[in-house]
Amino acid sequence: MAKTTPTPPQPAKVIARRRNGAPRRVEISAQEVEEAFRLLQSVPTPEARQLREKFAALLRPVCFWASSRTARYSNYPAWGHCGAFVGAPNERCVEHQWPLPAGVPDPFPDRCIVTLDEELEDSRWVDYSGGLRCPFNRRTGSDRCAHHDPREGELCGYPLDDGGTCTTPQGVFACCDHRYARLAHFKRKLEQLPLTLDCSYCDAASGTSCTNGNGRAVAFHKKRVNALQGSEEHRELSDTIKWLSL
């Protein structure tokens, strides 16, 4: 087998200059920085030590994992490149060593064991996850989380045109296809919640709008709205809207 010849480093070049003509920014290959770092090892001065520390930080390798899937409408990976610092080149960070080789102890024994795949299409999973493995904790009595091992009542349940209901699990996140319709519904419900109380400002009965001095309908008075703050129904609706907005 023929031996490969290492690619020689590109010569350093000035890429920006000051107004007086002196170099401001120089582009230099990592191979030359590595050589300078090696030579500085034999220089005992404090200045050399500081320079070595700067070069060491520059030369520190990172996990270069990237998803084999491309993002929608793009040629770029759905995730990656990772960029987490590692101990040696070609090494993966702890998140991207999943699935673990046989005999390697699990560094996160409480986490769900599922390898993410179609979840990559949902930006919420990208925001909450940093690797191949599901980021959420296992549910009691299972090695999977509530999303990947759903129970009765943890499916979307949104009515479909064919008469059935959506069966997407939503133990962690709300169903992506129907969350906006449900979000609009619960926001309207929260906005109309003051109708369940009488208004202590204009004496409007429950189920009727607030009125001004001329008897014309107006927006809910502040006293009527504030009377609901902290109530169980208001808290449940607010929590549901917050969850659907994740």
Side-chain angles (χ1 to χ4, degrees), residues 62-108:
V62 298
C63 171
F64 212 55
W65 175 90
S67 171
S68 58
R69 296 168 54 124
T70 56
R72 188 178 296 179
Y73 312 122
S74 170
N75 292 325
Y76 291 97
W79 284 1
H81 293 85
C82 169
F85 288 117
V86 292
N90 294 321
E91 185 177 310
R92 286 191 176 186
C93 67
V94 66
E95 282 289 345
H96 293 117
Q97 293 172 10
W98 185 262
L100 296 170
V104 176
D106 189 346
F108 306 110

Side-chain angles (χ1 to χ4, degrees), residues 101-115:
V104 176
D106 189 346
F108 306 110
D110 294 328
R111 272 173 64 175
C112 176
I113 66 167
V114 172
T115 300

Side-chain angles (χ1 to χ4, degrees), residues 13-92:
K13 62 180 181 180
V14 177
I15 58 175
R17 290 188 179 276
R18 295 183 174 90
R19 291 187 177 183
N20 62 7
R24 176 187 295 276
R25 193 174 296 112
V26 176
E27 186 177 87
I28 185 171
S29 73
Q31 291 160 289
E32 291 181 325
V33 176
E34 289 170 353
E35 180 63 17
F37 179 76
R38 185 184 65 80
L39 294 173
L40 285 169
Q41 302 293 330
S42 58
V43 182
T45 62
E47 293 81 2
R49 179 180 57 79
Q50 291 179 357
L51 202 54
R52 285 199 307 270
E53 291 175 353
K54 288 183 179 180
F55 285 173
L58 285 173
L59 297 170
R60 189 176 177 186
V62 298
C63 171
F64 212 55
W65 175 90
S67 171
S68 58
R69 296 168 54 124
T70 56
R72 188 178 296 179
Y73 312 122
S74 170
N75 292 325
Y76 291 97
W79 284 1
H81 293 85
C82 169
F85 288 117
V86 292
N90 294 321
E91 185 177 310
R92 286 191 176 186

Side-chain angles (χ1 to χ4, degrees), residues 19-232:
R19 291 187 177 183
N20 62 7
R24 176 187 295 276
R25 193 174 296 112
V26 176
E27 186 177 87
I28 185 171
S29 73
Q31 291 160 289
E32 291 181 325
V33 176
E34 289 170 353
E35 180 63 17
F37 179 76
R38 185 184 65 80
L39 294 173
L40 285 169
Q41 302 293 330
S42 58
V43 182
T45 62
E47 293 81 2
R49 179 180 57 79
Q50 291 179 357
L51 202 54
R52 285 199 307 270
E53 291 175 353
K54 288 183 179 180
F55 285 173
L58 285 173
L59 297 170
R60 189 176 177 186
V62 298
C63 171
F64 212 55
W65 175 90
S67 171
S68 58
R69 296 168 54 124
T70 56
R72 188 178 296 179
Y73 312 122
S74 170
N75 292 325
Y76 291 97
W79 284 1
H81 293 85
C82 169
F85 288 117
V86 292
N90 294 321
E91 185 177 310
R92 286 191 176 186
C93 67
V94 66
E95 282 289 345
H96 293 117
Q97 293 172 10
W98 185 262
L100 296 170
V104 176
D106 189 346
F108 306 110
D110 294 328
R111 272 173 64 175
C112 176
I113 66 167
V114 172
T115 300
L116 300 178
D117 183 22
E118 70 275 0
E119 292 90 349
L120 291 174
E121 301 297 337
D122 190 333
S123 61
R124 294 172 295 177
W125 285 91
V126 177
D127 293 338
Y128 278 81
S129 308
L132 297 171
R133 185 178 182 179
C134 176
F136 300 107
N137 286 344
R138 306 176 185 188
R139 70 185 318 155
T140 303
S142 175
D143 57 6
R144 302 184 177 211
C145 67
H147 177 86
H148 292 111
D149 185 14
R151 301 287 193 265
E152 185 178 354
E154 293 178 346
L155 302 180
C156 174
Y158 194 84
L160 303 177
D161 293 339
D162 60 5
T165 56
C166 178
T167 57
T168 300
Q170 54 177 22
V172 176
F173 294 121
C175 171
C176 187
D177 293 332
H178 302 115
R179 67 174 176 136
Y180 292 110
R182 298 177 65 205
L183 184 60
H185 166 74
F186 282 108
K187 282 184 174 180
R188 287 194 300 269
K189 194 172 181 179
L190 183 63
E191 289 171 357
Q192 297 301 313
L193 194 59
L195 284 174
T196 61
L197 296 178
D198 297 339
C199 180
S200 60
Y201 184 83
C202 65
D203 297 326
S206 62
T208 61
S209 299
C210 290
T211 57
N212 61 14
N214 297 325
R216 303 178 70 176
V218 295
F220 295 123
H221 289 118
K222 190 173 182 179
K223 279 190 174 182
R224 195 175 191 181
V225 174
N226 289 345
L228 286 165
Q229 300 296 321
S231 68
E232 184 176 352

